[in-house]
Amino acid sequence: MSSTELPFVPPANVLPRVAPVGVEEGERLRSVELPGITLSVRSRPPAREGLPPALYVHGLGGSSRNWSALMPLLDGVVDGEAVDLPGFGDSPPPDDGDYSVTGHARAVIRLLDASGRGPVHLLGNSLGGAVTTRVAALRPDLVRTLTLVSPALPELRVQRTALPTGLLAVPGVTALFTRITREWTAEQRVRGVMALCYGDPGRVTDEGLRNAVGEMERRLRLPYFWDAMSRSARGIVDAYTLGGQHGLWRQAERVLAPTLLIYGGRDQLVGFRMAQRAARAFRDSRLLTLPDAGHVAMMEYPETVATAFRELLLDTGELEAGSMTEPEAGAEAGGDGGVRTGVEPAGAEADRGVRASGAGTGGGARGSGTAGGAPGPETGGAPFGASTGG
């Protein structure tokens, strides 16, 4: 079955009522109606007028809330918005049932074209990394810089721990899995997801766990939840098999925007070894490797990721030295637990192996995914249907 076939789900106007989506302090949600899709967009008021726009794109099974730890750290640097991809978070399924990487990229492009906010600083995690890579390659006019956290780019030797997530793409497997796990509680599912997505699940606070469990309970009531998961997983697999100019690695080579690559040494879904290949593929790239991070570094080490992003902007002239507010300057100096990121142009490291910066070792780092009470990974289906995976 093709990932672009029309799914059998109820129309959006007859979907059951579920609990409202969680919103952190200072955040607001709005719904944007576009041709064929309706997108939920999470935003924060910028610290001042005139800041350049940024758009955050989550991974498989995630939502815009996956960026709630990072967004407030960049309030004084960018005017940030995070989108729920079609079928995820608070966005209903797309009218055409297209959950392919191209379909998600088309949704992002439509949002940017309609809002007139481009060019933006574009940030993506996992599936969102593949989606934003495609956007940057196809529409360079919409992208100022590109930041990729564990991007789901094709791997010849997929990690064994990532195979269960890939099986979601096989027709019939999702239905089998939902029967097998019918008795699992939302907390059991969330803990399984966190074990897969975090380098150290112990960094998640009690509040973060409660928020994630509540979100899981909400999503499991949505009749299209597993359909969106399985078809998006199938979309990733399809994208991995594409060759020629449509291949993701070929498109990575076409990206003109300055690119920041962030990889976690304990990532069980995207191979850490892929950092070096990515650094070579993106023509104007900087590489940050976090030995202790898992698949969602922006949730585990938000200060470190924020510092690396600001360094990208300083390096590319998008941010003037001395233009940050006092709290931001403090984060720049300290990062997570006082550890500097050590971001470097990737070309200098490519022939000597991937740089392993010291981030992730600071004892004073924030609890994972908890800036202002932001949750841990919010989706999934336990170790099998991993949130933000791929």
Side-chain angles (χ1 to χ4, degrees):
M1 184 182 294
S2 169
S3 62
T4 59
E5 287 181 20
L6 187 66
F8 182 73
V9 296
N13 62 348
V14 297
L15 292 175
R17 300 183 72 86
V18 296
V21 171
V23 180
E24 307 304 327
E25 183 177 355
E27 293 182 345
R28 55 195 175 197
L29 288 176
R30 76 178 193 277
S31 184
V32 180
E33 293 188 8
L34 300 167
I37 53 172
T38 298
L39 299 176
S40 177
V41 178
R42 183 180 303 262
S43 63
R44 296 177 57 86
R48 58 184 179 274
E49 295 294 326
L51 290 176
L55 183 68
Y56 305 85
V57 185
H58 64 80
L60 176 65
S63 77
S64 59
R65 205 175 183 191
N66 286 28
W67 299 97
S68 289
L70 180 65
M71 289 175 69
L73 301 178
L74 298 176
D75 277 351
V77 179
V78 295
D79 180 359
E81 294 185 343
V83 62
D84 287 328
L85 292 173
F88 295 99
D90 208 30
S91 294
D95 289 354
D96 62 0
D98 187 354
Y99 289 102
S100 66
V101 171
T102 297
H104 286 312
R106 187 181 299 117
V108 171
I109 290 171
R110 286 177 181 172
L111 175 64
L112 291 174
D113 278 340
S115 68
R117 281 168 53 87
V120 300
H121 297 292
L122 194 57
L123 299 89
N125 168 235
S126 192
L127 164 64
V131 169
T132 52
T133 294
R134 183 151 289 174
V135 171
L138 297 178
R139 290 292 304 275
D141 58 303
L142 293 177
V143 184
R144 292 173 182 250
T145 66
L146 181 63
T147 297
L148 304 177
V149 182
S150 297
L153 300 174
E155 301 183 43
L156 292 178
R157 292 186 299 109
V158 178
Q159 296 184 105
R160 181 170 53 85
T161 48
L163 291 176
T165 301
L167 286 175
L168 282 175
V170 179
V173 169
T174 298
L176 174 63
F177 179 68
T178 53
R179 288 197 298 272
I180 293 173
T181 64
R182 186 181 300 113
E183 303 303 319
W184 289 14
T185 67
E187 181 172 342
Q188 286 175 312
R189 295 174 187 273
V190 166
R191 288 189 181 277
V193 168
M194 288 178 172
L196 187 62
C197 291
Y198 278 72
D200 177 11
R203 293 172 60 84
V204 181
T205 66
D206 291 341
E207 183 180 9
L209 178 63
R210 286 194 300 271
N211 288 339
V213 170
E215 176 64 14
M216 175 63 75
E217 291 172 342
R218 186 191 74 84
R219 293 190 185 188
L220 289 174
R221 296 188 184 101
L222 296 172
Y224 57 82
F225 170 72
W226 285 111
D227 188 72
M229 284 285 293
S230 61
R231 288 178 181 270
S232 291
R234 199 174 307 158
I236 296 173
V237 173
D238 289 348
Y240 277 26
T241 63
L242 288 177
Q245 63 177 348
H246 300 294
L248 283 170
W249 284 115
R250 181 68 61 85
Q251 292 190 327
E253 294 171 353
R254 291 169 52 190
V255 171
L256 301 177
T259 302
L260 170 62
L261 302 164
I262 302 174
Y263 282 81
R266 296 182 180 178
D267 193 334
Q268 299 181 66
L269 293 167
V270 169
F272 184 67
R273 64 183 181 277
M274 301 305 295
Q276 186 172 350
R277 178 174 182 181
R280 288 172 172 159
F282 290 89
R283 65 179 70 189
D284 184 7
S285 66
R286 294 129 186 92
L287 176 62
L288 171 63
T289 58
L290 307 181
D292 294 335
H295 191 60
V296 286
M298 75 286 186
M299 301 172 76
E300 284 195 274
Y301 298 102
E303 287 92 348
T304 302
V305 173
T307 300
F309 178 76
R310 284 190 292 268
E311 289 182 358
L312 170 68
L313 268 55
L314 286 167
D315 182 50
T316 57
E318 292 281 347
L319 179 66
E320 294 182 6
S323 63
M324 292 182 291
T325 63
E326 193 169 317
E328 292 159 359
E332 172 78 13
D336 285 299
V339 181
R340 288 195 58 83
T341 61
V343 180
E344 289 189 354
E349 293 296 323
D351 294 330
R352 302 197 301 273
V354 178
R355 176 180 178 81
S357 92
T361 60
R366 278 182 186 262
S368 184
T370 56
E378 305 171 347
T379 65
F384 190 91
S387 115
T388 68

